Amino acid sequence: ETGVTQSPTHLIKTRGQQVTLRCSSQSGHNTVSWYQQALGQGPQFIFQYYREEENGRGNFPPRFSGLQFPNYSSELNVNALELDDSALYLCASSLLTYDTEAFFGQGTRLTVV
Amino acid sequence: DAKTTQPPSMDCAEGRAANLPCNHSTISGNEYVYWYRQIHSQGPQYIIHGLKNNETNEMASLIITEDRKSSTLILPHATLRDTAVYYCIVRVADGNKLVFGAGTILRVKS
């Protein structure tokens, strides 16, 4: 039990739609990172938020965006969904941006049809 | 961040030590070696990290070669619950992201 919860656990969307995934971090953790994990691959870094500001981004297009709120919750938004967006989306929270031990949630399995 | 190379899969007998190797020949002086694991249908879990010296915690030991070009994660007494994908990651201390490779699938068998 990491204290990081994600919702929903599973989601099916149609190509072209928009989706919002949610993450509740551990209390006191001011940093949240989002990762995309395609089937059979390791997680890929999407971006990180620190104190409600984006603090680094991976090789993902602008249609992937995020928000972080003062109550330790955060969102990942994906617009104009594509079939290749089907993946497990993971959030990880930590106290500092460079914390060695990031706590991951269970993930949201997104299927785009 | 330097790249890492790990074997795609390994088997280990329950109760025996599991030794998972990782090559990171291009590692820089300020880069740490991290290990995470991911049990099926769960998020990755931090195991251990180190810079130069060998490290041990309640989960595992990390052995880093003197030239720092490779390392080994040791699970001293593997159990069936240790069956997972193990990721070796190299990153700078103040880096803000983890760069995961494909990892090693460890299967612990009774």
Side-chain angles (χ1 to χ4, degrees):
Chain A
E1 184 62 49
T2 64
V4 179
T5 57
Q6 292 186 241
S7 62
T9 54
H10 295 83
L11 197 56
I12 300 175
K13 288 288 193 177
T14 302
R15 188 171 50 183
Q17 285 188 315
Q18 178 267 344
V19 69
T20 298
L21 309 182
R22 293 180 173 82
C23 173
S24 177
S25 299
Q26 277 200 15
S27 179
H29 281 190
N30 57 18
T31 301
V32 65
S33 302
W34 286 89
Y35 291 80
Q36 179 196 66
Q37 186 173 23
L39 204 60
Q41 299 182 21
Q44 301 298 308
F45 176 75
I46 303 175
F47 45 56
Q48 182 187 77
Y49 277 78
Y50 170 66
R51 293 186 175 177
E52 303 167 45
E53 297 284 335
E54 188 176 295
N55 181 48
R57 188 178 186 92
N59 188 26
F60 282 81
R63 59 189 186 85
F64 285 79
S65 62
L67 285 171
Q68 185 186 26
F69 304 101
N71 65 350
Y72 310 117
S73 67
S74 59
E75 291 180 354
L76 165 64
N77 298 290
V78 186
N79 294 323
L81 284 167
E82 301 176 0
L83 297 180
D84 285 348
D85 295 333
S86 295
L88 180 68
Y89 289 85
L90 297 157
C91 75
S93 78
S94 58
L95 183 58
L96 300 170
T97 61
Y98 51 86
D99 255 352
T100 57
E101 186 172 2
F103 295 87
F104 283 81
Q106 299 282 75
T108 294
R109 172 71 62 187
L110 173 66
T111 302
V112 182
V113 297
Chain B
D1 296 318
K3 284 193 173 182
T4 61
T5 303
Q6 300 177 252
S9 65
M10 295 182 63
D11 290 338
C12 177
E14 189 178 20
R16 303 297 294 269
N19 296 281
L20 292 92
C22 179
N23 285 322
H24 30 79
S25 59
T26 60
I27 193 170
S28 300
N30 64 343
E31 289 182 312
Y32 285 69
V33 179
Y34 294 76
W35 283 85
Y36 276 73
R37 74 179 182 183
Q38 187 172 23
I39 297 171
H40 184 61
S41 299
Q42 297 183 21
Q45 176 191 23
Y46 166 82
I47 301 173
I48 198 167
H49 78 286
L51 181 63
K52 289 189 288 189
N53 299 322
N54 298 335
E55 303 287 344
T56 296
N57 63 19
E58 64 279 3
M59 288 183 67
S61 294
L62 174 60
I63 308 298
I64 302 174
T65 58
E66 193 168 339
D67 63 8
R68 303 210 320 124
K69 293 185 177 182
S70 65
S71 60
T72 301
L73 177 74
I74 301 172
L75 307 179
H77 304 287
T79 70
L80 298 178
R81 287 179 295 180
D82 291 322
T83 293
V85 179
Y86 286 77
Y87 297 100
C88 170
I89 298 165
V90 170
R91 75 163 192 179
V92 295
D94 59 352
N96 63 1
K97 64 180 179 182
L98 296 166
V99 180
F100 291 83
T104 295
I105 299 172
L106 175 68
R107 300 183 187 91
V108 180
K109 300 183 176 182
S110 57

